[in-house]
Amino acid sequence: MNQSERRRAIENQHLSTRRSVTIPALASIFRVAENTIKSDLLFLESHGVAVCENPNGKPQRWFAVRSKDDLEMTLEVACAIKRIEKTARVLLPKALFHEVECLFNAANDAYLSKQKVNHRSKVIRYDNSVSDIDLMKHLHRGKIAADTLEEIKSAIYTANMLRLEIDECEEVLGDVSLVEVDEQLFLEGNMCGVSGKLQRFNTRDVSSAEVIERPLFRSARNRAA
């Protein structure tokens, strides 16, 4: 392997934005002197491909420079990718998941960094409300209907109210949330009206659900203005 081939192999096969590589490790892989690898890495650094995290460290830790074309994750994208990580880990072969694991790591990092400055976001509110609940499990076990679950998720995400039909009776709830107790899934919310009493219903008993927009009340002074 000549110099150009080795440098290309280092760039394409060994440098990563997530995991560091050291000069001794690369020297062992390519069976060349450490000074040779150091020269290769400095060459790649000068071309904007590699970067050393700790120039004065022993050993030095080298990474790939993140491409300007990398996906810039919004909070919504990061949340969606983060939510499917467990499913991907189960469904994909270990070797294949390892190839895409950096995407999930990046999503988790982006979510955590954006969460601090968007703590009132509806994305954060929704994710916090369902993060500890395996919705797919309850759906597959018939503990909630698919269309009912969709309406409940929408009500949580949009902070709108929810009209329910239970035992041929109609209920309207606000500030709805899902709660898991003893392997059962419950819907909680405040009753519409003056009392605003907190109610809890087993989702299995909900025959239908529909999101309704939260009414907006304005004072007479505001209307006059």
Side-chain angles (χ1 to χ4, degrees):
M1 180 180 291
N2 61 35
Q3 183 185 72
S4 297
E5 292 171 338
R6 185 179 61 251
R7 289 176 175 176
R8 190 160 51 248
I10 291 173
E11 176 184 354
N12 296 331
Q13 300 173 24
H14 298 281
L15 287 177
S16 166
T17 59
R18 304 294 304 177
R19 298 180 298 276
S20 66
V21 67
T22 65
I23 291 174
L26 290 175
S28 176
I29 292 171
F30 291 100
R31 298 181 180 180
V32 295
E34 292 186 9
N35 283 340
T36 300
I37 294 296
K38 185 173 183 178
S39 176
D40 292 337
L41 290 171
L42 290 174
F43 172 84
L44 294 173
E45 183 180 43
S46 69
H47 284 72
V49 173
V51 61
C52 181
E53 181 187 62
N54 58 334
N56 298 319
K58 292 183 179 181
Q60 292 179 338
R61 294 190 296 273
W62 288 83
F63 292 86
V65 174
R66 188 177 295 277
S67 170
K68 293 181 180 178
D69 296 328
D70 280 356
L71 175 65
E72 179 63 31
M73 290 192 190
T74 63
L75 179 60
E76 291 79 4
V77 171
C79 180
I81 295 175
K82 182 177 75 75
R83 294 290 299 172
I84 65 173
E85 179 179 1
K86 290 182 179 179
T87 302
R89 191 182 293 272
V90 171
L91 296 180
L92 298 180
K94 186 176 181 180
L96 178 54
F97 180 82
H98 180 70
E99 292 296 323
V100 299
E101 189 174 12
C102 60
L103 175 64
F104 295 109
N105 291 335
N108 279 302
D109 290 345
Y111 183 85
L112 290 174
S113 65
K114 294 176 184 296
Q115 182 183 36
K116 298 175 183 178
V117 295
N118 296 278
H119 61 279
R120 293 187 177 180
S121 162
K122 59 185 180 181
V123 177
I124 300 298
R125 182 181 64 246
Y126 173 79
D127 192 54
N128 288 340
S129 68
V130 300
S131 59
D132 296 326
I133 302 175
D134 187 344
L135 295 176
M136 289 297 294
K137 176 186 69 177
H138 292 287
L139 190 62
H140 289 157
R141 292 180 179 179
K143 295 184 178 180
I144 187 170
D147 54 349
T148 297
L149 176 59
E150 188 58 43
E151 292 296 313
I152 293 174
K153 290 189 300 181
S154 295
I156 295 173
Y157 184 70
T158 60
N160 277 318
M161 305 185 79
L162 195 66
R163 181 187 292 119
L164 307 173
E165 186 174 320
I166 303 173
D167 297 330
E168 299 183 355
C169 295
E170 186 178 282
E171 300 282 356
V172 177
L173 302 178
D175 301 319
V176 297
S177 61
L178 288 169
V179 181
E180 189 177 47
V181 180
D182 297 330
E183 294 295 312
Q184 297 296 315
L185 187 62
F186 295 90
L187 173 66
E188 283 189 348
N190 296 319
M191 292 184 64
C192 183
V194 178
S195 67
K197 182 180 178 182
L198 181 66
Q199 292 281 75
R200 174 183 287 187
F201 301 101
N202 192 312
T203 54
R204 182 175 280 173
D205 299 328
V206 178
S207 54
S208 68
E210 179 187 6
V211 174
I212 55 177
E213 290 188 8
R214 185 181 294 274
L216 299 177
F217 298 99
R218 300 193 319 180
S219 67
R221 179 180 298 178
N222 287 339
R223 288 196 300 270

